[in-house]
Amino acid sequence: MASRGRKRKAEAALAAAAEKREKPAGGQDGGVEGPSVVIEHCQALRLQAPELVVKVNPARPRRGSFEVTLLRADGSSAELWTGLKKGPPRKLKFPEPHVVLEELKKYLS
C-alpha cells in the first residue's frame, strides 16, 4: 500500500531547504563578503592571541582525529589538544575552548 503525501512532503522540505540556503543572512556576516564558516575554537584562539595565525586543516585530516597544535617560529611544535584516544562518546574527542586556551597560555608564557 502506497503512503499518502510522504513523497510530496519530502519534496516540499527539500525545496524549502534549498530556498533557505540561497537566501543570505542579512546583517550577520560581520562585513565579510560571501559565505563564511565560524569555528568556535578558532574564534576563541583569535580573541586570546590575535597575533597567531590559525590554520584549519592545512592537510587532509585523518579519520576520527581532532588535534590542536602550536607551531613555533623555531620550527618546533607543541600539542595543545588531541582527541585521538578520547571517547566514546564522540563528544569527548572535542575540547572545550577554555581547555585549549589554558594550554596555549602555558606555551606562550
Side-chain angles (χ1 to χ4, degrees):
M1 181 174 206
S3 60
R4 294 183 176 200
R6 284 190 183 167
K7 188 173 181 180
R8 285 189 208 122
K9 287 179 184 176
E11 288 173 356
L14 288 174
E19 272 184 47
K20 191 174 183 180
R21 281 191 299 249
E22 290 175 5
K23 291 181 184 177
Q28 297 200 7
D29 60 357
V32 177
E33 298 274 334
S36 63
V37 176
V38 175
I39 301 174
E40 181 180 349
H41 291 80
C42 289
Q43 293 300 322
L45 288 172
R46 286 183 177 139
L47 291 173
Q48 184 67 31
E51 71 279 1
L52 288 178
V53 176
V54 178
K55 296 180 183 178
V56 179
N57 291 337
R60 183 181 170 152
R62 292 171 291 165
R63 179 176 161 79
S65 67
F66 184 84
E67 295 180 329
V68 181
T69 306
L70 173 64
L71 301 175
R72 296 186 183 118
D74 63 1
S76 64
S77 64
E79 196 170 83
L80 302 178
W81 172 266
T82 182
L84 291 177
K85 296 182 181 180
K86 306 235 188 264
R90 184 167 171 76
K91 71 178 184 177
L92 295 177
K93 290 187 172 283
F94 303 97
E96 292 295 321
H98 67 87
V99 173
V100 177
L101 292 175
E102 289 300 318
E103 286 296 315
L104 179 64
K105 286 178 188 177
K106 287 180 193 175
Y107 286 105
L108 291 180
S109 58

